[in-house]
Amino acid sequence: MRVVLLGAGRVSTHLQKALIRAGHKVCAVWSPTRGTTHDMAALPTDADIYVIAVKDSALCDVVSQVVKGREECLFVHTAGSMPLSVFDGLARHCGVLYPMQTFSMEREVDFSQIPLFIEGSDPRIRLLAESLSEHVYELSTADRRYLHLAAVFACNFANHCYTLAADVLARKGLPFDVMLPLVDETARKVHELHPTEAQTGPAVRGDENVMACQSALLSGTAKAVYELMSTSIQEHNKQYDQLRLKEDKSHRV
């Protein structure tokens, strides 16, 4: 396919590499700062698909501009939290191509293993997605909101916990590197166990004395996060245990 990319950030950069590896032709990359062209009017008008990979706050404005004069073309956006309806009244052929992954400029990723969530009736969307990834799923706007929310917990919030851990270590002159074997093993475990079953630590054990001592070492929002997270772990594990007990009873009947 002949593809035009709008945006030159992390998603667009990795997507461009994946498109080229899959044999597609990237005709142009638009960006107000770093693309092959800064002039949207100069973009081709006959590409097979226009992929819009810009920040959420800029998406509606970019859509309204790029569709002009290209109303019969196919447009998709890559945002996890933005609806398909951003194209309403503008593009006749449209959809969503959401790669659920965290991207960094300095790290390469195997795009073929990234789950791609698509929306839209045009068959070219699935064709493009399946050429890029071995894991393609259809998901509505309404359900994609929950997927993106789950990703925030699993990625963004987890990474912030690493930041808090790094702050604690730095106060005693210790590098974050000492956490890496623990971080890696925790990630490996959830490939085999439900996250609740993989949970360890003082909260799941109910070690109130340990939790009280650790909370006393903290202040401000870090202290609040520790206490709220501990409470959440305990409540979730209690619910999980009750559910498992109910399931065991039903199997014995």
Side-chain angles (χ1 to χ4, degrees):
M1 292 186 187
R2 298 178 71 250
V3 182
V4 169
L5 285 170
L6 291 102
R10 289 172 292 181
V11 174
S12 179
T13 297
H14 286 280
L15 185 54
Q16 181 178 3
K17 294 177 183 178
L19 286 164
I20 293 171
R21 282 194 296 266
H24 301 287
K25 179 177 176 58
V26 177
C27 305
V29 179
W30 171 88
S31 169
T33 55
R34 292 189 296 159
T36 60
T37 178
H38 308 320
D39 183 6
M40 197 174 293
L43 292 175
T45 58
D46 59 348
D48 294 306
I49 186 166
Y50 295 77
V51 180
I52 306 170
V54 299
K55 60 184 180 180
D56 291 359
S57 60
L59 181 59
C60 291
D61 183 54
V62 171
V63 167
S64 65
Q65 292 183 57
V66 72
V67 171
K68 291 179 181 177
R70 305 176 181 88
E71 287 79 7
E72 294 302 324
C73 298
L74 173 60
F75 299 86
V76 298
H77 74 66
T78 62
S81 58
M82 296 296 284
L84 178 61
S85 61
V86 297
F87 296 108
D88 284 358
L90 297 169
R92 297 184 180 92
H93 310 284
C94 56
V96 176
L97 182 78
Y98 170 49
M100 196 188 68
Q101 181 57 281
T102 177
F103 295 101
S104 301
M105 288 293 193
E106 63 275 9
R107 289 185 60 82
E108 292 297 324
V109 296
D110 183 357
F111 217 96
S112 68
Q113 297 305 307
I114 295 175
L116 282 180
F117 294 87
I118 61 173
E119 184 177 7
S121 59
D122 194 299
R124 288 174 292 178
I125 301 171
R126 176 168 283 277
L127 285 174
L128 180 66
E130 289 180 344
S131 74
L132 300 174
S133 173
E134 299 173 10
H135 309 281
V136 177
Y137 309 89
E138 291 190 17
L139 199 66
S140 68
T141 288
D143 290 341
R144 196 172 63 256
R145 292 183 305 166
Y146 289 94
L147 177 73
H148 191 257
L149 172 61
V152 168
F153 273 102
C155 175
N156 307 135
F157 287 176
N159 190 77
H160 184 61
C161 285
Y162 300 155
T163 300
L164 296 179
D167 290 344
V168 170
L169 292 167
R171 295 207 312 254
K172 295 302 175 182
L174 295 169
F176 183 73
D177 288 1
V178 300
M179 292 287 108
L180 293 180
L182 177 63
V183 169
D184 292 342
E185 177 60 17
T186 302
R188 281 192 291 266
K189 282 200 297 185
V190 294
H191 282 265
E192 301 172 4
L193 299 172
H194 187 280
T196 304
E197 294 176 351
Q199 186 70 58
T200 61
V204 74
R205 294 193 300 267
D207 291 341
E208 300 294 340
N209 289 341
V210 173
M211 288 189 289
C213 290
Q214 291 184 338
S215 178
L217 297 175
L218 299 166
S219 61
T221 54
K223 181 183 182 73
V225 168
Y226 179 93
E227 293 177 351
L228 189 58
M229 192 77 77
S230 296
T231 299
S232 180
I233 289 171
Q234 291 178 317
E235 290 179 351
H236 193 279
N237 276 269
K238 182 178 180 181
Q239 294 170 1
Y240 188 79
D241 289 343
Q242 290 173 343
L243 179 62
R244 292 292 297 270
L245 181 61
K246 184 178 180 180
E247 291 176 347
D248 290 343
K249 288 181 178 179
S250 66
H251 290 157
R252 291 197 296 268
V253 174

